[in-house]
Amino acid sequence: GSLALDLAGRATCPVVVVRGEPRPADGAVVVGVLDPSTDAAALTAAFADARIHRTRLSVVHSGTRTADRLADELAAWRTRFPSVAVDLRVTDERPVEALLEQANQARLVVVGANTRSAPMRMLIGSTSRALVRWSPCPVAVVSPRVISVEPQVDRPAPARVTEPRDEGELW
């Protein structure tokens, strides 16, 4: 089995699995949402990351909610993170396909950890596990048990290191 898959499924803190090629720093953050109330930790992590890196946030929902209902349910996050530009995408595609499609242009995909029991995951599959395996960009898996993933202070966006500064630096 994969250590990354095991950690992402069991950790009580956010786990980021870095995959694929380096992504543009201005690429959007994509968050998969089934139900904003149970995906609150993943939404907070996605909004916080988009704010820190000054990028757009694309909220993808594959389910029964309408775009208007989803927008209403996201009002609390939009109020907490007013500087984050948000795109809503409501689709009838399977969640994995919808998120993988968005991941092609994303800098980061954020999903909640699957809280179903092991037999249910075997039967239906797990969106987070599929993304960890196949996403072309980094994937953050955030457990609903996370108390707070929002940074306490605003920090400038981190500089992107593209080459060592001198011979003594670790690369």
Side-chain angles (χ1 to χ4, degrees), residues 96 112-114 116 120-122 124-131:
V96 172
N114 195 331
R116 292 186 183 103
M120 286 301 288
R121 280 196 308 269
M122 298 271 298
I124 341 180
S126 166
T127 300
S128 58
R129 291 177 66 84
L131 287 167

Side-chain angles (χ1 to χ4, degrees), residues 68-83:
D68 289 340
R69 180 176 170 197
L70 185 59
D72 290 345
E73 292 174 322
L74 295 176
W77 284 276
R78 294 180 102 164
T79 300
R80 275 172 62 190
F81 301 94
S83 63

Side-chain angles (χ1 to χ4, degrees), residues 10 41 46 55 66 69 84 94 99 101 111 127 133 156 162:
R10 295 175 188 243
T55 60
T66 64
R69 180 176 170 197
V84 176
R94 291 184 51 212
L99 290 167
E101 180 183 315
V111 289
T127 300
R133 284 188 177 131
T162 56

Side-chain angles (χ1 to χ4, degrees), residues 17-29:
V17 179
V18 179
R19 300 190 38 86
E21 298 295 317
R23 309 305 287 195
D26 61 348
V29 173

Side-chain angles (χ1 to χ4, degrees), residues 44-165:
T44 302
F47 268 91
D49 191 84
R51 181 185 63 194
I52 288 169
H53 294 279
R54 297 179 183 96
T55 60
R56 298 188 71 73
L57 176 64
S58 179
V59 179
V60 178
H61 171 72
S62 177
T64 59
R65 284 174 168 74
T66 64
D68 289 340
R69 180 176 170 197
L70 185 59
D72 290 345
E73 292 174 322
L74 295 176
W77 284 276
R78 294 180 102 164
T79 300
R80 275 172 62 190
F81 301 94
S83 63
V84 176
V86 179
D87 300 320
L88 297 179
R89 181 163 185 254
V90 175
T91 180
D92 57 358
E93 290 179 88
R94 291 184 51 212
V96 172
E97 282 90 12
L99 290 167
L100 285 174
E101 180 183 315
Q102 294 290 306
N104 285 319
Q105 289 81 36
R107 184 181 58 73
L108 175 68
V109 174
V110 180
V111 289
N114 195 331
T115 56
R116 292 186 183 103
S117 65
M120 286 301 288
R121 280 196 308 269
M122 298 271 298
L123 229 112
I124 341 180
S126 166
T127 300
S128 58
R129 291 177 66 84
L131 287 167
V132 166
R133 284 188 177 131
W134 297 312
S135 176
C137 70
V139 175
V141 180
V142 184
S143 168
R145 297 182 302 261
V146 171
I147 294 169
S148 175
V149 290
E150 183 180 350
Q152 297 301 313
V153 292
D154 280 330
R155 297 184 192 139
R160 194 152 218 175
V161 178
T162 56
E163 58 185 68
R165 290 187 189 86

